[in-house]
């Protein structure tokens, strides 16, 4: 059964899902030449609000720039498209997926004859990314045999469709191994990130966050650093090895979809007590209060769907 996403903003117009179609000769379908975003809208006391809309739309356009895609809409038009998809579907909270792709003008590997790109925004109701169990008890991670691609192989700072073959292979391997998520190392063997999340760990009351390196510059990572510092934690950027994570007191992953997900084990070694860490759950609570409009300090991060 196909997923139900309702009304879709398709090249500037709100259309029913069944009308939002592309040709099988679409360049992006053959070569992964698309860019996308993952954004969440949350229910707040003042109605649904999109979290850090500006930063997500900026990254969407940066990803397009990396790929030399011409987007035939302005950031303001895409922002309005995002808000209209939430509004027209009457979602209270949802996951929002903007996508821009190289169309069916030509199938030569060089995508540029397919400019300008086509653009759509879909949204659907998505619960906890790794499942409620993984949040309550902590996710079980395994280190993937697929390394995160080096910076001169794929543009990891851009959310390019083709980049997610790396994530998909790691995710398949983790799932087949009975784990909840994959941890990817970089080519030197240092820890990079999850297949769809950035990584933090606690040693005592100091919070460490992996430096950007070859990883996506996560917006949730940025939000959690701010929230942690506001809660009085010292936050340090670092490089880390997998055995350093084994020795950590707490490990957690963050992302728009994953929010703040505690990690209970890595490569069958319990992290700390083997339960969701207490600092981690405190940060998770503060993050959810921020996105749900319960903390006025983070009001600027919210864009209300129905002003
Ligand atoms: C590789 C990767 N690293 C880090 C992050 C966290 O970035 P941010 O969302 O800005 O905090 C994401 C987001 N993964 C998105 C897609 C997941 C999926 O397609 O599945 C997401 O969380 O929406 C990544 O895909």
């Amino acid at each position: 059964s196909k997923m139900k996403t309702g009304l879709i903003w398709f090249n500037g117009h709100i259309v029913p899902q069944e009308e939002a179609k592309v040709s099988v000769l679409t360049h992006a379908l053959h070569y992964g030449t698309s860019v996308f975003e993952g954004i969440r809208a949350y229910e707040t006391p003042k109605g649904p609000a999109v979290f850090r809309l500006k930063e997500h739309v900026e990254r969407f356009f940066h990803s397009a720039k990396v790929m030399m895609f011409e987007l035939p809409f302005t950031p303001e038009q895409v922002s309005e498209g995002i808000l209209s998809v939430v509004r027209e579907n009457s979602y209270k909270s949802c996951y929002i997926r903007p996508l821009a792709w190289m169309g069916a003008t030509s199938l030569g590997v060089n995508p540029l004859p397919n400019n300008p790109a086509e653009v759509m925004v879909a949204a659907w109701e998505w619960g906890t990314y790794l499942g409620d169990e993984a949040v309550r008890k902590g996710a079980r991670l395994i280190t993937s045999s697929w390394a995160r691609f080096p910076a001169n192989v794929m543009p990891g700072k851009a959310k390019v469709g083709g980049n997610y073959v790396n994530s998909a292979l790691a995710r398949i391997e983790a799932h087949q191994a009975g784990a909840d998520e994959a941890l990817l190392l970089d080519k030197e063997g240092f820890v990079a990130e999850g297949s769809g999340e950035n990584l933090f760990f606690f040693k005592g009351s100091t919070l460490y966050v992996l430096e950007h390196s070859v990883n996506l510059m996560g917006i949730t990572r940025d939000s959690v650093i701010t929230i942690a510092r506001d809660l009085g934690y010292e936050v340090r950027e670092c490089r880390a090895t997998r055995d350093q994570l084994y020795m950590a007191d707490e490990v957690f992953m963050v992302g728009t979809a994953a929010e703040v997900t505690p990690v209970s084990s890595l490569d069958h070694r319990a992290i700390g007590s083997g339960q969701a860490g207490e600092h981690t759950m405190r940060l998770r609570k503060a993050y959810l209060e921020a996105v749900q409009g319960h903390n006025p300090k983070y009001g600027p991060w919210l864009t209300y769907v129905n002003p």
Side-chain angles (χ1 to χ4, degrees):
S1 70
K2 286 192 185 144
M3 60 188 291
K4 290 258 169 288
T5 66
L7 296 168
I8 291 179
W9 187 87
F10 188 62
N11 290 319
H13 304 287
I14 291 281
V15 303
Q17 178 175 341
E18 302 69 36
E19 290 176 26
K21 291 185 180 315
V22 294
S23 159
V24 290
L25 302 176
T26 294
H27 195 275
L29 198 54
H30 294 243
Y31 304 117
T33 45
S34 63
V35 296
F36 69 100
E37 263 305 320
I39 313 172
R40 276 192 188 266
Y42 289 90
E43 186 170 9
T44 79
K46 290 189 277 181
V50 176
F51 189 63
R52 301 199 76 179
L53 175 61
K54 177 174 167 292
E55 291 79 3
H56 280 284
V57 172
E58 271 172 7
R59 189 171 64 184
F60 187 58
F61 277 77
H62 287 165
S63 299
K65 178 176 185 178
V66 166
M67 294 303 296
M68 298 193 87
F69 293 177
E70 294 155 27
L71 299 191
F73 299 100
T74 64
E76 294 69 29
Q77 287 171 316
V78 173
S79 299
E80 191 38 52
I82 289 164
L83 294 168
S84 65
V85 163
V86 182
R87 191 181 304 127
E88 297 304 316
N89 284 297
S90 308
Y91 287 140
K92 291 192 176 61
S93 66
C94 60
Y95 180 82
I96 307 161
R97 175 55 58 87
L99 179 76
W101 68 93
M102 291 282 96
T105 303
S106 90
L107 272 177
V109 168
N110 172 7
L112 301 192
N114 290 275
N115 269 321
E118 296 192 50
V119 187
M120 77 95 189
V121 183
W124 58 87
E125 291 169 324
W126 222 7
T128 43
Y129 186 54
L130 294 170
D132 295 327
E133 198 68 355
V135 170
R136 205 170 49 77
K137 290 171 56 181
R140 294 156 303 155
L141 264 52
I142 56 148
T143 299
S144 180
S145 65
W146 297 96
R148 178 86 176 148
F149 37 77
N152 62 347
V153 172
M154 301 295 274
K157 294 289 178 291
K159 282 181 82 75
V160 178
N163 287 356
Y164 287 79
V165 167
N166 179 236
S167 296
L169 287 164
R171 201 74 187 264
I172 291 167
E173 184 183 40
H175 181 72
Q176 300 287 7
D180 295 305
E181 180 51 304
L183 179 69
L184 290 95
L185 308 179
D186 64 24
K187 71 176 177 1
E188 282 105 341
F190 284 89
V191 177
E193 56 183 333
S195 75
E197 310 89 355
N198 293 117
L199 220 81
F200 288 76
F201 64 96
F202 274 100
K203 193 68 183 162
S205 61
T206 302
L207 179 57
Y208 294 87
V209 60
L210 300 183
E211 62 188 16
H212 287 315
S213 179
V214 292
N215 308 322
L216 187 75
M217 293 169 74
I219 292 168
T220 315
R221 173 186 182 280
D222 179 70
S223 308
V224 168
I225 289 170
T226 298
I227 291 170
R229 286 189 171 135
D230 289 347
L231 288 174
Y233 289 105
E234 180 191 356
V235 184
R236 288 193 202 156
E237 293 209 342
C238 70
R239 281 188 102 179
T241 56
R242 67 199 286 186
D243 53 339
Q244 202 175 340
L245 290 187
Y246 296 162
M247 302 172 195
D249 296 317
E250 300 184 26
V251 174
F252 63 95
M253 306 182 290
V254 307
T256 298
E259 296 167 324
V260 176
T261 299
V263 171
S264 57
S265 70
L266 171 60
D267 298 336
H268 312 288
R269 283 104 167 145
I271 302 292
S273 64
Q275 308 295 324
E278 63 169 280
H279 295 301
T280 299
M281 295 314 272
R282 188 174 169 220
L283 278 175
R284 174 179 169 79
K285 182 169 175 292
Y287 178 77
L288 291 176
E289 283 169 358
V291 300
Q292 289 164 5
H294 297 306
N295 187 333
K297 183 190 300 221
Y298 306 115
W301 284 345
L302 304 181
T303 303
Y304 288 94
V305 171
N306 308 303

